[in-house]
Amino acid sequence: ETGVTQSPTHLIKTRGQQVTLRCSSQSGHNTVSWYQQALGQGPQFIFQYYREEENGRGNFPPRFSGLQFPNYSSELNVNALELDDSALYLCASSLGAGTGAYEQYFGPGTRLTVT
Amino acid sequence: AQSVTQLDSQVPVFEEAPVELRCNYSSSVSVYLFWYVQYPNQGLQLLLKYLSGSTLVKGINGFEAEFNKSQTSFHLRKPSVHISDTAEYFCAVRVNQAGTALIFGKGTTLSVSS
């Protein structure tokens, strides 16, 4: 059974640029959630995708957008990068997104640095 | 709105000593509770979870946690720590509603020395 994978591992971008981060969910999981973890902080929920549709969103501006594909892999896109977007971006997959205690399995993260 | 407070940002302990990492949450609805561990430059690994039933939950690596509904707490304990337990620990809650995700505390750094 393959776990959650993320690419790339590290990324350096310039302010104002756009970036795409990728996540492959664990086998059989149909839900992907994205989190932003700033240095020294806990992860903050960005949004969640369930069966290719956005199913919930945290307090992030519209320049943070995403996609989920038929194989349940997912992308996080960030436009007009700002210095404060520098963080570890974590992807988590789970089996289901409705009511119930769906355990989330996390990938290793993508470290984004904006200069 | 739900929130999670981890009462200690750093906890230094000696090897083989007991440790308790404290977590309080606020929520007006029922929640699921989790503890995750994060080793340097890695993602999050689930230590244990409380869903329902027994308030004492046992997890991996010898950790356990006790859910106290009246005090809205979910403290993590280990009777004897090892050097390898040095890591960042996060408490998280999730409400029982569709489309919701985990709300994390700011983390507690556990430093175990010999």
PDB file of all heavy atoms in Angstrom, chain A residues 35 37 40-43 45 48 55-56 88 97-101 103-104 106-108, chain B residues 32 36 38 41-44 46 49 51 90 94 96-102 104-106:
ATOM      1  N   TYR A  35      -3.012  21.681   3.908  1.00  0.00           N
ATOM      2  CA  TYR A  35      -2.727  22.502   5.073  1.00  0.00           C
ATOM      3  C   TYR A  35      -1.466  23.315   4.815  1.00  0.00           C
ATOM      4  O   TYR A  35      -0.543  22.871   4.129  1.00  0.00           O
ATOM      5  CB  TYR A  35      -2.484  21.633   6.313  1.00  0.00           C
ATOM      6  CG  TYR A  35      -3.682  20.847   6.783  1.00  0.00           C
ATOM      7  CD1 TYR A  35      -4.005  19.627   6.202  1.00  0.00           C
ATOM      8  CD2 TYR A  35      -4.496  21.311   7.817  1.00  0.00           C
ATOM      9  CE1 TYR A  35      -5.111  18.904   6.631  1.00  0.00           C
ATOM     10  CE2 TYR A  35      -5.591  20.597   8.257  1.00  0.00           C
ATOM     11  CZ  TYR A  35      -5.896  19.394   7.652  1.00  0.00           C
ATOM     12  OH  TYR A  35      -6.983  18.674   8.085  1.00  0.00           O
ATOM     13  N   GLN A  37       1.652  25.068   6.922  1.00  0.00           N
ATOM     14  CA  GLN A  37       2.311  25.107   8.228  1.00  0.00           C
ATOM     15  C   GLN A  37       3.455  26.108   8.182  1.00  0.00           C
ATOM     16  O   GLN A  37       4.523  25.824   7.638  1.00  0.00           O
ATOM     17  CB  GLN A  37       2.826  23.722   8.632  1.00  0.00           C
ATOM     18  CG  GLN A  37       3.402  23.694  10.041  1.00  0.00           C
ATOM     19  CD  GLN A  37       3.911  22.332  10.468  1.00  0.00           C
ATOM     20  OE1 GLN A  37       4.110  21.446   9.653  1.00  0.00           O
ATOM     21  NE2 GLN A  37       4.118  22.155  11.761  1.00  0.00           N
ATOM     22  N   GLY A  40       7.213  27.225  13.035  1.00  0.00           N
ATOM     23  CA  GLY A  40       6.884  27.361  14.443  1.00  0.00           C
ATOM     24  C   GLY A  40       5.405  27.355  14.763  1.00  0.00           C
ATOM     25  O   GLY A  40       5.013  27.634  15.903  1.00  0.00           O
ATOM     26  N   GLN A  41       4.582  27.029  13.775  1.00  0.00           N
ATOM     27  CA  GLN A  41       3.130  27.019  13.973  1.00  0.00           C
ATOM     28  C   GLN A  41       2.547  25.643  13.679  1.00  0.00           C
ATOM     29  O   GLN A  41       3.205  24.792  13.079  1.00  0.00           O
ATOM     30  CB  GLN A  41       2.473  28.044  13.041  1.00  0.00           C
ATOM     31  CG  GLN A  41       2.941  29.479  13.257  1.00  0.00           C
ATOM     32  CD  GLN A  41       2.534  30.014  14.607  1.00  0.00           C
ATOM     33  OE1 GLN A  41       1.415  29.814  15.064  1.00  0.00           O
ATOM     34  NE2 GLN A  41       3.458  30.706  15.266  1.00  0.00           N
ATOM     35  N   GLY A  42       1.288  25.457  14.091  1.00  0.00           N
ATOM     36  CA  GLY A  42       0.581  24.250  13.718  1.00  0.00           C
ATOM     37  C   GLY A  42       0.013  24.390  12.310  1.00  0.00           C
ATOM     38  O   GLY A  42      -0.148  25.505  11.801  1.00  0.00           O
ATOM     39  N   PRO A  43      -0.287  23.278  11.671  1.00  0.00           N
ATOM     40  CA  PRO A  43      -0.878  23.344  10.327  1.00  0.00           C
ATOM     41  C   PRO A  43      -2.226  24.058  10.342  1.00  0.00           C
ATOM     42  O   PRO A  43      -2.996  23.917  11.295  1.00  0.00           O
ATOM     43  CB  PRO A  43      -1.043  21.867   9.953  1.00  0.00           C
ATOM     44  CG  PRO A  43      -0.063  21.135  10.814  1.00  0.00           C
ATOM     45  CD  PRO A  43      -0.025  21.898  12.097  1.00  0.00           C
ATOM     46  N   PHE A  45      -5.745  24.671   8.011  1.00  0.00           N
ATOM     47  CA  PHE A  45      -6.540  24.086   6.937  1.00  0.00           C
ATOM     48  C   PHE A  45      -6.750  25.083   5.809  1.00  0.00           C
ATOM     49  O   PHE A  45      -7.232  26.196   6.035  1.00  0.00           O
ATOM     50  CB  PHE A  45      -7.881  23.636   7.515  1.00  0.00           C
ATOM     51  CG  PHE A  45      -8.869  23.133   6.526  1.00  0.00           C
ATOM     52  CD1 PHE A  45      -8.582  22.045   5.714  1.00  0.00           C
ATOM     53  CD2 PHE A  45     -10.110  23.725   6.410  1.00  0.00           C
ATOM     54  CE1 PHE A  45      -9.514  21.561   4.816  1.00  0.00           C
ATOM     55  CE2 PHE A  45     -11.056  23.248   5.513  1.00  0.00           C
ATOM     56  CZ  PHE A  45     -10.758  22.164   4.708  1.00  0.00           C
ATOM     57  N   GLN A  48     -10.426  21.341   1.252  1.00  0.00           N
ATOM     58  CA  GLN A  48     -10.580  19.901   1.135  1.00  0.00           C
ATOM     59  C   GLN A  48     -11.314  19.581  -0.170  1.00  0.00           C
ATOM     60  O   GLN A  48     -12.250  20.295  -0.553  1.00  0.00           O
ATOM     61  CB  GLN A  48     -11.387  19.359   2.315  1.00  0.00           C
ATOM     62  CG  GLN A  48     -11.606  17.867   2.334  1.00  0.00           C
ATOM     63  CD  GLN A  48     -12.436  17.440   3.537  1.00  0.00           C
ATOM     64  OE1 GLN A  48     -13.650  17.425   3.508  1.00  0.00           O
ATOM     65  NE2 GLN A  48     -11.742  17.111   4.626  1.00  0.00           N
ATOM     66  N   ASN A  55     -14.902  20.723  -0.949  1.00  0.00           N
ATOM     67  CA  ASN A  55     -15.874  20.267   0.038  1.00  0.00           C
ATOM     68  C   ASN A  55     -15.793  21.046   1.345  1.00  0.00           C
ATOM     69  O   ASN A  55     -16.534  20.776   2.271  1.00  0.00           O
ATOM     70  CB  ASN A  55     -15.615  18.776   0.308  1.00  0.00           C
ATOM     71  CG  ASN A  55     -16.702  18.129   1.133  1.00  0.00           C
ATOM     72  OD1 ASN A  55     -17.870  18.261   0.829  1.00  0.00           O
ATOM     73  ND2 ASN A  55     -16.304  17.439   2.184  1.00  0.00           N
ATOM     74  N   GLY A  56     -14.887  21.991   1.413  1.00  0.00           N
ATOM     75  CA  GLY A  56     -14.710  22.775   2.625  1.00  0.00           C
ATOM     76  C   GLY A  56     -13.497  23.661   2.427  1.00  0.00           C
ATOM     77  O   GLY A  56     -12.570  23.300   1.690  1.00  0.00           O
ATOM     78  N   LEU A  88       5.599  25.181   4.974  1.00  0.00           N
ATOM     79  CA  LEU A  88       5.515  23.778   4.596  1.00  0.00           C
ATOM     80  C   LEU A  88       4.055  23.496   4.236  1.00  0.00           C
ATOM     81  O   LEU A  88       3.156  23.779   5.037  1.00  0.00           O
ATOM     82  CB  LEU A  88       5.957  22.888   5.762  1.00  0.00           C
ATOM     83  CG  LEU A  88       5.941  21.381   5.532  1.00  0.00           C
ATOM     84  CD1 LEU A  88       7.008  20.979   4.504  1.00  0.00           C
ATOM     85  CD2 LEU A  88       6.154  20.623   6.843  1.00  0.00           C
ATOM     86  N   ALA A  97     -15.427  12.098   3.597  1.00  0.00           N
ATOM     87  CA  ALA A  97     -15.381  13.497   4.034  1.00  0.00           C
ATOM     88  C   ALA A  97     -16.688  13.917   4.691  1.00  0.00           C
ATOM     89  O   ALA A  97     -16.886  15.085   4.966  1.00  0.00           O
ATOM     90  CB  ALA A  97     -15.098  14.408   2.847  1.00  0.00           C
ATOM     91  N   GLY A  98     -17.549  12.976   4.933  1.00  0.00           N
ATOM     92  CA  GLY A  98     -18.806  13.334   5.571  1.00  0.00           C
ATOM     93  C   GLY A  98     -18.699  13.280   7.080  1.00  0.00           C
ATOM     94  O   GLY A  98     -17.636  13.478   7.641  1.00  0.00           O
ATOM     95  N   THR A  99     -19.806  13.014   7.736  1.00  0.00           N
ATOM     96  CA  THR A  99     -19.750  12.861   9.182  1.00  0.00           C
ATOM     97  C   THR A  99     -19.043  11.547   9.496  1.00  0.00           C
ATOM     98  O   THR A  99     -19.154  10.573   8.764  1.00  0.00           O
ATOM     99  CB  THR A  99     -21.150  12.856   9.788  1.00  0.00           C
ATOM    100  OG1 THR A  99     -21.899  11.805   9.169  1.00  0.00           O
ATOM    101  CG2 THR A  99     -21.872  14.165   9.519  1.00  0.00           C
ATOM    102  N   GLY A 100     -18.308  11.557  10.562  1.00  0.00           N
ATOM    103  CA  GLY A 100     -17.547  10.356  10.905  1.00  0.00           C
ATOM    104  C   GLY A 100     -16.101  10.691  11.147  1.00  0.00           C
ATOM    105  O   GLY A 100     -15.602  11.720  10.696  1.00  0.00           O
ATOM    106  N   ALA A 101     -15.435   9.820  11.822  1.00  0.00           N
ATOM    107  CA  ALA A 101     -14.045  10.084  12.224  1.00  0.00           C
ATOM    108  C   ALA A 101     -13.101   9.574  11.159  1.00  0.00           C
ATOM    109  O   ALA A 101     -12.483   8.538  11.297  1.00  0.00           O
ATOM    110  CB  ALA A 101     -13.755   9.417  13.555  1.00  0.00           C
ATOM    111  N   GLU A 103      -9.857   9.264   9.532  1.00  0.00           N
ATOM    112  CA  GLU A 103      -8.466   9.522   9.869  1.00  0.00           C
ATOM    113  C   GLU A 103      -7.735  10.062   8.657  1.00  0.00           C
ATOM    114  O   GLU A 103      -7.885   9.550   7.549  1.00  0.00           O
ATOM    115  CB  GLU A 103      -7.801   8.241  10.352  1.00  0.00           C
ATOM    116  CG  GLU A 103      -6.354   8.419  10.770  1.00  0.00           C
ATOM    117  CD  GLU A 103      -5.785   7.127  11.310  1.00  0.00           C
ATOM    118  OE1 GLU A 103      -6.539   6.342  11.897  1.00  0.00           O
ATOM    119  OE2 GLU A 103      -4.568   6.916  11.127  1.00  0.00           O
ATOM    120  N   GLN A 104      -6.952  11.108   8.864  1.00  0.00           N
ATOM    121  CA  GLN A 104      -6.192  11.716   7.779  1.00  0.00           C
ATOM    122  C   GLN A 104      -4.746  11.249   7.836  1.00  0.00           C
ATOM    123  O   GLN A 104      -4.121  11.262   8.883  1.00  0.00           O
ATOM    124  CB  GLN A 104      -6.265  13.241   7.871  1.00  0.00           C
ATOM    125  CG  GLN A 104      -7.689  13.757   7.689  1.00  0.00           C
ATOM    126  CD  GLN A 104      -7.767  15.245   7.493  1.00  0.00           C
ATOM    127  OE1 GLN A 104      -6.767  15.925   7.347  1.00  0.00           O
ATOM    128  NE2 GLN A 104      -8.976  15.769   7.489  1.00  0.00           N
ATOM    129  N   PHE A 106      -0.987  11.923   6.411  1.00  0.00           N
ATOM    130  CA  PHE A 106      -0.245  13.057   5.874  1.00  0.00           C
ATOM    131  C   PHE A 106       0.947  12.629   5.023  1.00  0.00           C
ATOM    132  O   PHE A 106       1.608  11.627   5.307  1.00  0.00           O
ATOM    133  CB  PHE A 106       0.259  13.938   7.012  1.00  0.00           C
ATOM    134  CG  PHE A 106      -0.809  14.797   7.616  1.00  0.00           C
ATOM    135  CD1 PHE A 106      -1.670  14.287   8.570  1.00  0.00           C
ATOM    136  CD2 PHE A 106      -0.970  16.114   7.220  1.00  0.00           C
ATOM    137  CE1 PHE A 106      -2.674  15.064   9.121  1.00  0.00           C
ATOM    138  CE2 PHE A 106      -1.961  16.909   7.769  1.00  0.00           C
ATOM    139  CZ  PHE A 106      -2.817  16.378   8.716  1.00  0.00           C
ATOM    140  N   GLY A 107       1.205  13.444   4.011  1.00  0.00           N
ATOM    141  CA  GLY A 107       2.418  13.296   3.229  1.00  0.00           C
ATOM    142  C   GLY A 107       3.565  14.040   3.891  1.00  0.00           C
ATOM    143  O   GLY A 107       3.373  14.705   4.923  1.00  0.00           O
ATOM    144  N   PRO A 108       4.767  13.957   3.314  1.00  0.00           N
ATOM    145  CA  PRO A 108       5.953  14.574   3.917  1.00  0.00           C
ATOM    146  C   PRO A 108       6.000  16.087   3.751  1.00  0.00           C
ATOM    147  O   PRO A 108       6.784  16.751   4.420  1.00  0.00           O
ATOM    148  CB  PRO A 108       7.107  13.905   3.185  1.00  0.00           C
ATOM    149  CG  PRO A 108       6.523  13.523   1.868  1.00  0.00           C
ATOM    150  CD  PRO A 108       5.095  13.166   2.130  1.00  0.00           C
TER     151      PRO A 108
ATOM    152  N   TYR B  32     -13.886  14.933  17.555  1.00  0.00           N
ATOM    153  CA  TYR B  32     -12.915  13.859  17.597  1.00  0.00           C
ATOM    154  C   TYR B  32     -11.570  14.502  17.929  1.00  0.00           C
ATOM    155  O   TYR B  32     -11.280  15.605  17.474  1.00  0.00           O
ATOM    156  CB  TYR B  32     -12.843  13.136  16.253  1.00  0.00           C
ATOM    157  CG  TYR B  32     -14.157  12.559  15.806  1.00  0.00           C
ATOM    158  CD1 TYR B  32     -14.783  13.018  14.651  1.00  0.00           C
ATOM    159  CD2 TYR B  32     -14.783  11.544  16.526  1.00  0.00           C
ATOM    160  CE1 TYR B  32     -15.992  12.493  14.234  1.00  0.00           C
ATOM    161  CE2 TYR B  32     -15.991  11.013  16.108  1.00  0.00           C
ATOM    162  CZ  TYR B  32     -16.594  11.494  14.970  1.00  0.00           C
ATOM    163  OH  TYR B  32     -17.790  10.962  14.558  1.00  0.00           O
ATOM    164  N   TYR B  36      -0.769  14.190  17.010  1.00  0.00           N
ATOM    165  CA  TYR B  36       0.170  13.869  15.943  1.00  0.00           C
ATOM    166  C   TYR B  36       1.588  14.205  16.402  1.00  0.00           C
ATOM    167  O   TYR B  36       1.796  15.123  17.211  1.00  0.00           O
ATOM    168  CB  TYR B  36      -0.128  14.683  14.682  1.00  0.00           C
ATOM    169  CG  TYR B  36      -1.314  14.213  13.880  1.00  0.00           C
ATOM    170  CD1 TYR B  36      -2.606  14.630  14.187  1.00  0.00           C
ATOM    171  CD2 TYR B  36      -1.144  13.350  12.795  1.00  0.00           C
ATOM    172  CE1 TYR B  36      -3.692  14.197  13.444  1.00  0.00           C
ATOM    173  CE2 TYR B  36      -2.220  12.921  12.043  1.00  0.00           C
ATOM    174  CZ  TYR B  36      -3.495  13.345  12.371  1.00  0.00           C
ATOM    175  OH  TYR B  36      -4.558  12.912  11.628  1.00  0.00           O
ATOM    176  N   GLN B  38       5.537  15.140  14.821  1.00  0.00           N
ATOM    177  CA  GLN B  38       6.267  15.567  13.629  1.00  0.00           C
ATOM    178  C   GLN B  38       7.756  15.589  13.953  1.00  0.00           C
ATOM    179  O   GLN B  38       8.210  16.374  14.786  1.00  0.00           O
ATOM    180  CB  GLN B  38       5.804  16.946  13.169  1.00  0.00           C
ATOM    181  CG  GLN B  38       6.414  17.389  11.851  1.00  0.00           C
ATOM    182  CD  GLN B  38       5.845  18.720  11.370  1.00  0.00           C
ATOM    183  OE1 GLN B  38       5.562  19.606  12.161  1.00  0.00           O
ATOM    184  NE2 GLN B  38       5.656  18.853  10.058  1.00  0.00           N
ATOM    185  N   ASN B  41      11.796  17.887   9.585  1.00  0.00           N
ATOM    186  CA  ASN B  41      11.737  17.770   8.116  1.00  0.00           C
ATOM    187  C   ASN B  41      10.854  16.619   7.643  1.00  0.00           C
ATOM    188  O   ASN B  41      11.105  16.035   6.579  1.00  0.00           O
ATOM    189  CB  ASN B  41      13.140  17.629   7.533  1.00  0.00           C
ATOM    190  CG  ASN B  41      14.018  18.807   7.888  1.00  0.00           C
ATOM    191  OD1 ASN B  41      13.606  19.947   7.751  1.00  0.00           O
ATOM    192  ND2 ASN B  41      15.215  18.534   8.369  1.00  0.00           N
ATOM    193  N   GLN B  42       9.856  16.291   8.428  1.00  0.00           N
ATOM    194  CA  GLN B  42       8.928  15.235   8.029  1.00  0.00           C
ATOM    195  C   GLN B  42       7.484  15.698   8.154  1.00  0.00           C
ATOM    196  O   GLN B  42       7.206  16.760   8.717  1.00  0.00           O
ATOM    197  CB  GLN B  42       9.153  13.980   8.888  1.00  0.00           C
ATOM    198  CG  GLN B  42      10.501  13.318   8.662  1.00  0.00           C
ATOM    199  CD  GLN B  42      10.596  11.980   9.369  1.00  0.00           C
ATOM    200  OE1 GLN B  42       9.590  11.308   9.604  1.00  0.00           O
ATOM    201  NE2 GLN B  42      11.809  11.583   9.704  1.00  0.00           N
ATOM    202  N   GLY B  43       6.569  14.888   7.631  1.00  0.00           N
ATOM    203  CA  GLY B  43       5.148  15.168   7.786  1.00  0.00           C
ATOM    204  C   GLY B  43       4.659  14.736   9.153  1.00  0.00           C
ATOM    205  O   GLY B  43       5.439  14.468  10.068  1.00  0.00           O
ATOM    206  N   LEU B  44       3.353  14.662   9.296  1.00  0.00           N
ATOM    207  CA  LEU B  44       2.729  14.334  10.574  1.00  0.00           C
ATOM    208  C   LEU B  44       2.381  12.847  10.649  1.00  0.00           C
ATOM    209  O   LEU B  44       1.873  12.272   9.694  1.00  0.00           O
ATOM    210  CB  LEU B  44       1.452  15.148  10.759  1.00  0.00           C
ATOM    211  CG  LEU B  44       1.613  16.668  10.747  1.00  0.00           C
ATOM    212  CD1 LEU B  44       0.264  17.340  10.784  1.00  0.00           C
ATOM    213  CD2 LEU B  44       2.455  17.103  11.918  1.00  0.00           C
ATOM    214  N   LEU B  46       0.219  10.037  13.000  1.00  0.00           N
ATOM    215  CA  LEU B  46      -0.803   9.927  14.039  1.00  0.00           C
ATOM    216  C   LEU B  46      -0.293   9.085  15.206  1.00  0.00           C
ATOM    217  O   LEU B  46       0.166   7.966  15.011  1.00  0.00           O
ATOM    218  CB  LEU B  46      -2.064   9.294  13.459  1.00  0.00           C
ATOM    219  CG  LEU B  46      -3.231   9.138  14.433  1.00  0.00           C
ATOM    220  CD1 LEU B  46      -3.772  10.507  14.850  1.00  0.00           C
ATOM    221  CD2 LEU B  46      -4.340   8.295  13.809  1.00  0.00           C
ATOM    222  N   LYS B  49      -5.910   8.581  18.823  1.00  0.00           N
ATOM    223  CA  LYS B  49      -7.137   9.323  18.553  1.00  0.00           C
ATOM    224  C   LYS B  49      -8.212   8.915  19.544  1.00  0.00           C
ATOM    225  O   LYS B  49      -8.253   7.769  20.013  1.00  0.00           O
ATOM    226  CB  LYS B  49      -7.615   9.056  17.129  1.00  0.00           C
ATOM    227  CG  LYS B  49      -7.888   7.588  16.842  1.00  0.00           C
ATOM    228  CD  LYS B  49      -8.146   7.347  15.367  1.00  0.00           C
ATOM    229  CE  LYS B  49      -8.302   5.854  15.090  1.00  0.00           C
ATOM    230  NZ  LYS B  49      -8.397   5.553  13.647  1.00  0.00           N
ATOM    231  N   LEU B  51     -12.285   8.806  19.645  1.00  0.00           N
ATOM    232  CA  LEU B  51     -13.506   8.924  18.841  1.00  0.00           C
ATOM    233  C   LEU B  51     -14.732   8.860  19.739  1.00  0.00           C
ATOM    234  O   LEU B  51     -15.645   9.675  19.642  1.00  0.00           O
ATOM    235  CB  LEU B  51     -13.558   7.816  17.791  1.00  0.00           C
ATOM    236  CG  LEU B  51     -12.309   7.695  16.897  1.00  0.00           C
ATOM    237  CD1 LEU B  51     -12.487   6.578  15.886  1.00  0.00           C
ATOM    238  CD2 LEU B  51     -12.014   9.009  16.197  1.00  0.00           C
ATOM    239  N   PHE B  90       1.564  17.735  18.139  1.00  0.00           N
ATOM    240  CA  PHE B  90       0.400  18.564  17.843  1.00  0.00           C
ATOM    241  C   PHE B  90      -0.880  17.874  18.293  1.00  0.00           C
ATOM    242  O   PHE B  90      -1.120  16.714  17.973  1.00  0.00           O
ATOM    243  CB  PHE B  90       0.298  18.847  16.344  1.00  0.00           C
ATOM    244  CG  PHE B  90       1.399  19.718  15.814  1.00  0.00           C
ATOM    245  CD1 PHE B  90       2.501  19.152  15.202  1.00  0.00           C
ATOM    246  CD2 PHE B  90       1.325  21.095  15.920  1.00  0.00           C
ATOM    247  CE1 PHE B  90       3.518  19.939  14.718  1.00  0.00           C
ATOM    248  CE2 PHE B  90       2.345  21.896  15.429  1.00  0.00           C
ATOM    249  CZ  PHE B  90       3.441  21.318  14.832  1.00  0.00           C
ATOM    250  N   ARG B  94     -11.446  17.628  15.371  1.00  0.00           N
ATOM    251  CA  ARG B  94     -12.281  17.677  14.177  1.00  0.00           C
ATOM    252  C   ARG B  94     -13.735  17.529  14.635  1.00  0.00           C
ATOM    253  O   ARG B  94     -14.058  16.628  15.390  1.00  0.00           O
ATOM    254  CB  ARG B  94     -11.932  16.569  13.195  1.00  0.00           C
ATOM    255  CG  ARG B  94     -12.815  16.590  11.957  1.00  0.00           C
ATOM    256  CD  ARG B  94     -12.433  15.518  10.950  1.00  0.00           C
ATOM    257  NE  ARG B  94     -13.356  15.531   9.824  1.00  0.00           N
ATOM    258  CZ  ARG B  94     -14.460  14.790   9.761  1.00  0.00           C
ATOM    259  NH1 ARG B  94     -14.774  13.965  10.752  1.00  0.00           N
ATOM    260  NH2 ARG B  94     -15.251  14.865   8.704  1.00  0.00           N
ATOM    261  N   ASN B  96     -17.733  16.762  14.097  1.00  0.00           N
ATOM    262  CA  ASN B  96     -18.414  15.710  13.363  1.00  0.00           C
ATOM    263  C   ASN B  96     -19.381  16.318  12.350  1.00  0.00           C
ATOM    264  O   ASN B  96     -20.591  16.192  12.469  1.00  0.00           O
ATOM    265  CB  ASN B  96     -19.149  14.791  14.338  1.00  0.00           C
ATOM    266  CG  ASN B  96     -19.700  13.566  13.635  1.00  0.00           C
ATOM    267  OD1 ASN B  96     -19.297  13.235  12.515  1.00  0.00           O
ATOM    268  ND2 ASN B  96     -20.615  12.876  14.273  1.00  0.00           N
ATOM    269  N   GLN B  97     -18.822  17.022  11.367  1.00  0.00           N
ATOM    270  CA  GLN B  97     -19.626  17.628  10.307  1.00  0.00           C
ATOM    271  C   GLN B  97     -18.932  17.394   8.981  1.00  0.00           C
ATOM    272  O   GLN B  97     -17.703  17.372   8.898  1.00  0.00           O
ATOM    273  CB  GLN B  97     -19.794  19.134  10.541  1.00  0.00           C
ATOM    274  CG  GLN B  97     -20.615  19.489  11.768  1.00  0.00           C
ATOM    275  CD  GLN B  97     -20.669  20.984  12.018  1.00  0.00           C
ATOM    276  OE1 GLN B  97     -20.130  21.769  11.239  1.00  0.00           O
ATOM    277  NE2 GLN B  97     -21.305  21.376  13.095  1.00  0.00           N
ATOM    278  N   ALA B  98     -19.748  17.260   7.944  1.00  0.00           N
ATOM    279  CA  ALA B  98     -19.186  17.038   6.616  1.00  0.00           C
ATOM    280  C   ALA B  98     -18.354  18.224   6.173  1.00  0.00           C
ATOM    281  O   ALA B  98     -18.675  19.374   6.474  1.00  0.00           O
ATOM    282  CB  ALA B  98     -20.326  16.805   5.620  1.00  0.00           C
ATOM    283  N   GLY B  99     -17.279  17.933   5.477  1.00  0.00           N
ATOM    284  CA  GLY B  99     -16.458  18.985   4.896  1.00  0.00           C
ATOM    285  C   GLY B  99     -15.550  19.682   5.862  1.00  0.00           C
ATOM    286  O   GLY B  99     -14.920  20.669   5.513  1.00  0.00           O
ATOM    287  N   THR B 100     -15.453  19.179   7.069  1.00  0.00           N
ATOM    288  CA  THR B 100     -14.566  19.827   8.031  1.00  0.00           C
ATOM    289  C   THR B 100     -13.246  19.078   8.087  1.00  0.00           C
ATOM    290  O   THR B 100     -13.162  17.901   7.782  1.00  0.00           O
ATOM    291  CB  THR B 100     -15.178  19.867   9.435  1.00  0.00           C
ATOM    292  OG1 THR B 100     -15.409  18.531   9.876  1.00  0.00           O
ATOM    293  CG2 THR B 100     -16.487  20.628   9.425  1.00  0.00           C
ATOM    294  N   ALA B 101     -12.223  19.796   8.500  1.00  0.00           N
ATOM    295  CA  ALA B 101     -10.906  19.198   8.588  1.00  0.00           C
ATOM    296  C   ALA B 101     -10.361  19.422   9.992  1.00  0.00           C
ATOM    297  O   ALA B 101     -11.085  19.847  10.881  1.00  0.00           O
ATOM    298  CB  ALA B 101      -9.982  19.800   7.535  1.00  0.00           C
ATOM    299  N   LEU B 102      -9.102  19.107  10.169  1.00  0.00           N
ATOM    300  CA  LEU B 102      -8.492  19.182  11.487  1.00  0.00           C
ATOM    301  C   LEU B 102      -8.131  20.617  11.856  1.00  0.00           C
ATOM    302  O   LEU B 102      -7.666  21.387  11.013  1.00  0.00           O
ATOM    303  CB  LEU B 102      -7.227  18.327  11.524  1.00  0.00           C
ATOM    304  CG  LEU B 102      -7.455  16.821  11.362  1.00  0.00           C
ATOM    305  CD1 LEU B 102      -6.135  16.117  11.084  1.00  0.00           C
ATOM    306  CD2 LEU B 102      -8.116  16.247  12.604  1.00  0.00           C
ATOM    307  N   PHE B 104      -5.603  22.445  14.416  1.00  0.00           N
ATOM    308  CA  PHE B 104      -4.419  22.101  15.189  1.00  0.00           C
ATOM    309  C   PHE B 104      -4.079  23.156  16.219  1.00  0.00           C
ATOM    310  O   PHE B 104      -4.349  24.354  16.040  1.00  0.00           O
ATOM    311  CB  PHE B 104      -3.206  21.954  14.256  1.00  0.00           C
ATOM    312  CG  PHE B 104      -3.210  20.716  13.423  1.00  0.00           C
ATOM    313  CD1 PHE B 104      -3.835  20.688  12.194  1.00  0.00           C
ATOM    314  CD2 PHE B 104      -2.565  19.568  13.866  1.00  0.00           C
ATOM    315  CE1 PHE B 104      -3.839  19.542  11.412  1.00  0.00           C
ATOM    316  CE2 PHE B 104      -2.555  18.418  13.093  1.00  0.00           C
ATOM    317  CZ  PHE B 104      -3.196  18.408  11.868  1.00  0.00           C
ATOM    318  N   GLY B 105      -3.442  22.707  17.307  1.00  0.00           N
ATOM    319  CA  GLY B 105      -2.790  23.629  18.215  1.00  0.00           C
ATOM    320  C   GLY B 105      -1.463  24.074  17.627  1.00  0.00           C
ATOM    321  O   GLY B 105      -1.058  23.620  16.552  1.00  0.00           O
ATOM    322  N   LYS B 106      -0.764  24.944  18.351  1.00  0.00           N
ATOM    323  CA  LYS B 106       0.493  25.486  17.840  1.00  0.00           C
ATOM    324  C   LYS B 106       1.672  24.552  18.042  1.00  0.00           C
ATOM    325  O   LYS B 106       2.772  24.818  17.540  1.00  0.00           O
ATOM    326  CB  LYS B 106       0.785  26.834  18.491  1.00  0.00           C
ATOM    327  CG  LYS B 106      -0.188  27.920  18.067  1.00  0.00           C
ATOM    328  CD  LYS B 106       0.239  29.276  18.580  1.00  0.00           C
ATOM    329  CE  LYS B 106      -0.681  30.362  18.038  1.00  0.00           C
ATOM    330  NZ  LYS B 106      -0.285  31.718  18.490  1.00  0.00           N
TER     331      LYS B 106
END
